[in-house]
Amino acid sequence: MKSTRLYRRGFLRASLGASFGVGLAALREPGSALGAAPAATAAAARDTGAARARSCILLYMAGGPSHIDTFDPKPGTASGGPFRAIATRADGVRICEHLPLLAARMKDIALIRSLTSKEGNHDRARHLMHTSHAPAGGVDHPSFGSLLAEARGGGRAGLPGYVAIGGPGEDSGFLSGAHSPFPVKNPDKPVKHLARARGVNDERWERRLQLWRALEDRFAAGAGGGFARGRREVGEKALELMSAGVDAFDVGKEPAAVRASYGPTPFGAGCLMARRLVEAGVPFVEVTLNGWDTHEDNFNRVKTLCQTLDRGMTALLADLGSRGLLASTLVVWMGDFGRTPRINERGGRDHHPAASAALLTGAGVRGGQVIGATDELGAAVTQRPITVADLYRTVAALTGLPADRMRVSPAGRPIKAVDAGNVISEVL
């Protein structure tokens, strides 16, 4: 399945700039302004129920953040580390001293301290944390972002339904490749290949499109099936995006003061781009903050990462709120897994899926509360264990995605949108 995922991602990038076999990368011209939302299909309308959240932003901490050194501090214990725990605006809730801006917003945030899983390998954990399904042979599960993009009929005005900033995201599995994430490697730089090349006029453009469509029709006639349809859908989505323009991706259009509030980091710029994208109608945006795999020098690295997270996430929540978007935007914070209470000989913490933390805010989430608890060392969940499926059941309820919708995979296996689990009632 790995090679299939890589091919889909590669083809999506190709479709959006590198090659359609006839040089789509050469077909560039500045796009038009964003337009009105297209009508949703009847199927998409049926799939999307009543929802508080029009959009979802996932802030993904790649590598696995230490819950003990962020949102579940254990000061005074042998493995608690050097960080102090500070008070927050939520009564009785204390978090790491290097997250003071988020501490001031905790009244609006639901903090889960009892997220637990069995996946301690990065690849397997990332698949679980993006799909709610543990990896299984013969099934390439769709990411939640892809499911939401499909249900909403993509983004408005030709924009993608799922954008992944600073990381690859997770692909569309057995859904059409058109619902895989559109990758933005560096949000501080212009997105490439979304305008025609110099010298390509309308006549030349149309001739190339006719040739590409003829080649795709010939391929579909010979290959048939969902893969051929998916290829064509990806290409047509690429053309829509080229026509839509790139304004929503351009953080340089923001006032200097707004840009500064997010901090001078790619993650901060990614959070700002996420706000612009949900404002433009993109249903699912993922922003990755890399570097949390702290097997060595944990405390220096986590301090820096927390400072980056604190500024970027706080600015995002404040900006969404000031624009009236927070009520319709669900913001989720999580990572691969937690990290061990034990501090190893390199001053690091190792993989620990048995306990980790997650945050939910926006979209009417009941903030100012802690759900679940771990023991005095942060090693084991002692109250209200929350599975990844529970978390995604809750995200599905907030976004209106039918969690129990059953599909049959290409291998003939029935697969639910969300694997088991129960809604976290405290959040709704």
Side-chain angles (χ1 to χ4, degrees):
M1 291 298 108
K2 183 74 171 177
S3 62
T4 302
R5 289 195 196 104
L6 291 174
Y7 180 79
R8 281 198 176 110
R9 283 184 186 141
F11 185 72
L12 181 65
R13 292 187 183 97
S15 301
L16 296 169
S19 171
F20 274 127
V22 292
L24 187 55
L27 312 180
R28 301 195 295 255
E29 176 178 296
S32 58
L34 296 175
T41 65
R46 284 195 302 272
D47 284 355
T48 308
R52 298 183 192 177
R54 185 189 71 181
S55 299
C56 179
I57 297 174
L58 169 61
L59 303 179
Y60 195 76
M61 308 295 106
S66 168
H67 55 299
I68 298 167
D69 301 311
T70 53
F71 294 104
D72 191 10
K74 305 294 181 180
T77 64
S79 57
F83 299 160
R84 293 184 300 111
I86 60 173
T88 71
R89 289 289 300 277
D91 291 342
V93 180
R94 301 178 76 82
I95 63 174
C96 172
E97 64 177 306
H98 300 302
L99 298 167
L101 300 177
L102 284 170
R105 294 200 65 99
M106 285 304 295
K107 206 166 184 179
D108 303 319
I109 296 172
L111 167 55
I112 299 168
R113 284 180 171 164
S114 56
L115 188 62
T116 184
S117 86
K118 297 179 181 179
E119 300 295 347
N121 169 275
H122 285 297
D123 287 341
R124 291 181 63 86
R126 279 194 290 267
H127 184 83
L128 171 66
M129 298 302 291
H130 282 84
T131 68
S132 84
H133 294 265
V139 181
D140 191 9
H141 302 102
S143 65
F144 188 89
S146 296
L147 288 168
L148 191 60
E150 181 200 46
R152 299 285 168 84
R156 290 202 309 243
L159 288 167
Y162 175 7
V163 177
I165 304 169
E170 186 73 13
D171 72 22
S172 58
F174 56 73
L175 300 183
S176 165
H179 304 304
S180 281
F182 175 72
V184 177
K185 186 175 181 181
N186 187 342
D188 281 316
K189 294 183 178 180
V191 178
K192 296 180 179 180
H193 307 308
L194 294 186
R196 299 183 203 172
R198 294 175 186 174
V200 178
N201 59 23
D202 288 347
E203 181 181 356
R204 192 175 178 188
W205 172 257
E206 287 301 323
R207 286 203 309 268
R208 293 188 176 193
L209 289 184
Q210 288 173 16
L211 174 59
W212 168 68
R213 288 187 171 117
L215 290 171
E216 285 296 310
D217 288 343
R218 185 184 302 172
F219 174 79
F227 179 72
R229 289 194 299 272
R231 275 176 54 107
R232 183 60 172 266
E233 287 175 14
V234 169
E236 297 295 349
K237 287 285 186 183
L239 295 173
E240 289 178 19
L241 181 54
M242 292 179 74
S243 298
V246 296
D247 277 3
F249 291 95
D250 189 356
V251 298
K253 293 185 178 294
E254 294 289 331
V258 173
R259 295 185 65 188
S261 70
Y262 282 82
T265 64
F267 177 74
C271 288
L272 176 54
M273 183 180 286
R275 190 227 82 205
R276 290 180 62 83
L277 289 168
V278 300
E279 194 170 33
V282 174
F284 193 91
V285 183
E286 179 175 350
V287 186
T288 297
L289 178 56
N290 290 293
W292 294 93
D293 195 21
T294 53
H295 290 284
E296 58 185 31
D297 196 24
N298 174 80
F299 300 105
N300 288 324
R301 292 169 64 187
V302 169
K303 177 181 177 180
T304 299
L305 288 163
C306 280
Q307 291 167 345
T308 298
L309 168 67
D310 196 41
R311 192 163 175 182
M313 183 173 178
T314 302
L316 172 64
L317 298 180
D319 206 0
L320 288 170
S322 69
R323 293 167 181 269
L325 295 170
L326 192 56
S328 61
T329 305
L330 175 64
V331 180
V332 182
W333 179 95
M334 63 181 179
D336 295 2
F337 33 60
R339 304 200 81 82
T340 55
R342 176 182 174 273
I343 301 167
N344 65 32
E345 62 277 4
R346 294 171 291 168
R349 299 191 193 270
D350 301 317
H351 300 182
H352 191 67
S356 64
L359 307 179
L360 296 171
T361 188
V365 165
R366 289 190 220 162
Q369 62 171 323
V370 173
I371 300 165
T374 57
D375 62 20
E376 62 179 11
L377 297 179
V381 171
T382 56
Q383 296 177 24
R384 188 67 167 96
I386 300 293
T387 67
V388 178
D390 294 334
L391 179 62
Y392 270 111
R393 281 266 162 182
T394 308
V395 173
L398 289 165
T399 56
L401 189 83
D404 287 315
R405 182 185 175 187
M406 192 75 73
R407 301 171 184 271
V408 177
S409 75
R413 291 182 57 182
I415 305 290
K416 286 185 178 181
V418 177
D419 184 26
N422 296 290
V423 170
I424 306 168
S425 58
E426 298 94 323
V427 167
L428 302 183

